[in-house]
Amino acid sequence: MTTVATTPFQDQRPGTSGLRKSVRHFQQPQYLENFLQAIFSTVAALKGGTLVVGGDGRFHNDVAIQTVLRMAAANGVAKAVVGQGGLLSTPAMSCVIRKRGATGGIVLSASHNPGGPDGDFGIKFNAENGGPAPEAMTEAFFRASRALSSYEILETDDIDLSRLGPTALGDMAVEVIDPVADHADLMESLFDFDLIKARIAAGAIRPCFDALHAVTGPYAEALFIRRLGADAAAVVNAVPLPDFGGGHPDPNAFYLRDLQDRLAAADGPNFGAASDGDGDRNMVLGPGFFVTPSDSLAVLAANATLVPAYAAGLKGVARSMPTSQAVDRVAAAGGFPCYETPTGWKFFGNLLDDGRITICGEESAGTGSDHVREKDGLWAVLFWLNLVAARDLPVEAIVREHWRRYGRDFYTRHDYEAIDADRAETLMAKLRAKLGSLAGTQAGGRRIALADDFAYHDPVDGSSAVGQGVRVIFEEAGRLVFRLSGTGTKGATLRLYIEDFEPDPARHDIDTQVRLADLIAAAEEIAAVSHHCGRDAPSVIT
Ligand code: G16
């Protein structure tokens, strides 16, 4: 065991979801070690405790995981539970922590960000409830990272993570586990697998899941092919690769062209789905039809009682602030509470632990429930499969019927990626400076009813999170949200979220960008987005 002298890095404050930087940044000598030591020094219970470790298989996963294990052993962790081959999806991590009563877990992932030597890497800590470390804990990591003068590490050979079973590293017991089994068993306990299986066997549901060469391939093969009887073609790009095959493991309309083409074929699949790098996001589509994440949350909440695990009804739901208000309408009609939290799954943890909500989700393609404490891509896909099987309706028909009943919340997100960080801060500062004077004025031909900077007061532990994004709400309906992403690694990313409510079914087919054009113009008028970003158009529109 060695104590190595080090000096602090100043940039180890975790963002929306852990510490995320470029691979090259993480490869700097002692960068990874320092942040890991900050975790081990902060979470005292890890000494003598059980730590679960795994990642999404991206470039640097194999090197970093050995460092995690060596430092865990040197910091007195009693037992490490590791996914075979160093793999564990984020929801599987949550599941394994909970099932095995572990003290916490370390996930090596930069989620939907690209991988490879020129891509991104990241570290997340999950607490003993299986959920992302709450703000107070990530701030403590940051403080510890700035006060470090040394770290502890065991000097030893790499451990073989390809063989299942028990082994050891110094005094630390190590168990290499099947990364899929615990999670797949949990999925089978929640949904009506017999019904889904019968519908697939009858050819009524022809699924195609695109794993985008990220972590979900092995999970999807176990679920869809081995447990639900779909044929081998039902899972594509199933082998996890360090660079995700050169693709972008982000399941949005922009990066799923290939899957859309498969669904467009005459005798092709009629149910499409995909997940991201670490398996917590999801996207569901039918031929020629994408379900927006905000609509997906609302539809799942509205139909939850068709799924065995949620047959008794929902205690409540929650959405992140920028997520559309579609689920609020379902909650109001169903008579259960709907909570509005800041962006970041960590903010759902207390509501789930306290039994206030059953289902929650975000516009960023995350949906989940109280079955674990992370968003869960395959859970959402199975939920949709259960729904399509139980309703005997295709995806598009289910969504359209939902709109007819509740009205449609038109929704789009415009991302301005990798813009100059100072310019992005200037845009937000100018916007914040005029918040007090916006109400009552006009923009895009509409009258502004309210403008504020979203603040959240956690009803469970009383903590507060301020400055979580600027909201501009118009009279009647219509809402703009401006915030800076907390997951990018280059410059800053401005996210502009635009939504409007449309009760009239005759107007549900209008193109989203056309339907929201006046609000898009209003955003420009209010915040001079193009001017500050130095761009004529967003980098990505979803
Ligand atoms: C993370 C968080 C989500 C958040 C998303 C986007 O997801 O867990 O809660 O909605 O980032 O955050 P931002 O808008 O700050 O970039 P993931 O899948 O990247 O871990």
Side-chain angles (χ1 to χ4, degrees):
M1 210 180 100
T2 317
T3 301
V4 182
T6 190
T7 45
F9 293 87
Q10 298 304 318
D11 65 348
Q12 298 199 322
R13 173 176 260 148
T16 310
S17 182
L19 184 68
R20 232 174 251 187
K21 304 281 177 196
S22 69
V23 167
R24 298 205 195 288
H25 205 85
F26 261 104
Q27 284 173 327
Q28 296 174 77
Q30 305 191 319
Y31 193 83
L32 172 67
E33 288 84 349
N34 274 19
F35 189 65
L36 289 171
Q37 188 60 53
I39 294 175
F40 288 119
S41 302
T42 303
V43 188
L46 283 172
K47 199 181 265 302
T50 298
L51 177 73
V52 187
V53 189
D56 64 9
R58 68 177 55 228
F59 185 85
H60 204 49
N61 196 138
D62 53 351
V63 176
I65 202 164
Q66 299 289 344
T67 305
V68 174
L69 292 172
R70 283 192 194 105
M71 288 187 61
N75 278 280
V77 170
K79 182 175 182 183
V81 176
V82 195
Q84 188 178 26
L87 295 181
L88 260 184
S89 77
T90 290
M93 166 64 77
S94 187
C95 169
V96 171
I97 291 173
R98 293 168 71 78
K99 184 168 173 181
R100 292 165 192 255
T103 318
I106 289 179
V107 188
L108 308 172
S109 172
S111 187
H112 57 289
N113 294 22
D118 298 322
D120 289 337
F121 193 72
I123 304 267
K124 303 188 278 186
F125 183 76
N126 282 39
E128 64 182 342
N129 71 344
E135 285 264 286
M137 194 184 268
T138 56
E139 281 301 300
F141 296 161
F142 180 52
R143 281 195 303 277
S145 78
R146 298 215 289 186
L148 280 179
S149 56
S150 64
Y151 60 83
E152 308 291 327
I153 192 158
L154 196 72
E155 302 289 350
T156 176
D157 290 339
D158 281 1
I159 194 165
D160 179 5
L161 297 178
S162 66
R163 277 211 323 271
L164 290 173
T167 167
L169 198 64
D171 290 338
M172 182 176 77
V174 177
E175 185 185 354
V176 179
I177 61 162
D178 174 351
V180 171
D182 286 352
H183 184 262
D185 289 348
L186 176 61
M187 293 300 105
E188 199 159 349
S189 75
L190 300 175
F191 299 103
D192 191 342
F193 269 42
D194 289 340
L195 175 68
I196 302 171
K197 199 171 175 176
R199 305 294 294 151
I200 289 176
I205 304 178
R206 299 188 301 282
C208 183
F209 179 86
D210 191 341
L212 297 170
H213 285 303
V215 79
T216 48
Y219 295 84
E221 287 180 329
L223 289 166
F224 303 133
I225 301 173
R226 291 199 288 285
R227 299 198 187 205
L228 289 169
D231 61 39
V235 183
V236 298
N237 301 321
V239 180
L241 297 174
D243 66 347
F244 307 120
H248 201 130
D250 191 355
N252 63 39
F254 201 69
Y255 297 116
L256 290 181
R257 302 250 160 78
D258 184 46
L259 183 59
Q260 289 182 71
D261 291 347
R262 287 175 198 270
L263 268 83
D267 56 351
N270 59 5
F271 178 97
S275 189
D276 68 332
D278 60 331
D280 53 5
R281 298 183 173 206
N282 77 91
M283 180 59 76
V284 166
L285 49 155
F289 188 86
F290 270 91
V291 186
T292 70
S294 296
D295 277 347
S296 182
L297 173 64
V299 171
L300 298 191
N303 292 277
T305 53
L306 295 173
V307 169
Y310 311 107
L314 303 179
K315 294 175 197 153
V317 291
R319 63 166 171 82
S320 65
M321 183 273 281
T323 303
S324 98
Q325 295 161 84
V327 74
D328 303 36
R329 302 178 207 292
V330 176
F336 47 80
C338 177
Y339 296 85
E340 186 177 34
T341 59
T343 293
W345 202 263
K346 56 192 168 196
F347 292 103
F348 293 136
N350 280 345
L351 299 173
L352 289 163
D353 285 348
D354 201 46
R356 291 177 184 237
I357 59 169
T358 312
I359 287 181
C360 45
E362 298 186 271
E363 51 68 37
S364 56
T367 339
S369 85
D370 55 6
H371 69 289
V372 289
R373 292 295 181 272
E374 283 280 3
K375 54 191 189 272
D376 189 338
L378 285 159
W379 169 88
V381 176
L382 287 164
F383 201 132
W384 268 99
L385 279 172
N386 200 147
L387 210 58
V388 166
R391 301 281 308 270
D392 199 12
L393 284 173
V395 168
E396 180 170 351
I398 291 174
V399 177
R400 287 189 178 282
E401 189 197 281
H402 185 93
W403 291 342
R404 277 195 298 279
R405 170 154 180 214
Y406 294 95
R408 177 174 180 185
D409 291 88
F410 277 93
Y411 190 84
T412 188
R413 190 177 93 186
H414 289 196
D415 290 341
Y416 293 79
E417 294 179 337
I419 53 178
D420 180 79
D422 289 341
R423 296 177 77 153
E425 293 294 348
T426 303
L427 182 154
M428 292 303 294
K430 288 199 163 172
L431 193 51
R432 288 190 162 109
K434 66 190 214 184
L435 281 179
S437 57
L438 280 177
T441 63
Q442 298 262 339
R446 299 188 187 207
R447 209 173 140 82
I448 297 171
L450 180 141
D452 69 359
D453 197 353
F454 182 63
Y456 178 62
H457 305 288
D458 187 312
V460 181
D461 68 9
S463 61
S464 292
V466 299
Q468 297 295 318
V470 167
R471 305 187 287 189
V472 179
I473 299 171
F474 293 84
E475 280 178 1
E476 292 169 7
R479 187 178 72 147
L480 299 171
V481 176
F482 302 80
R483 62 178 282 279
L484 300 183
S485 160
T487 58
T489 57
K490 292 184 192 72
T493 292
L494 172 74
R495 301 207 196 284
L496 168 58
Y497 313 79
I498 305 141
E499 72 177 287
D500 200 11
F501 180 60
E502 178 55 76
D504 181 1
R507 294 171 54 81
H508 286 171
D509 276 330
I510 301 174
D511 175 82
T512 298
Q513 302 304 316
V514 172
R515 177 64 181 71
L516 298 176
D518 63 331
L519 285 167
I520 296 168
E524 189 60 46
E525 229 174 276
I526 294 167
V529 177
S530 321
H531 165 73
H532 286 294
C533 297
R535 304 268 173 87
D536 291 341
S539 338
V540 178
I541 295 180
T542 52

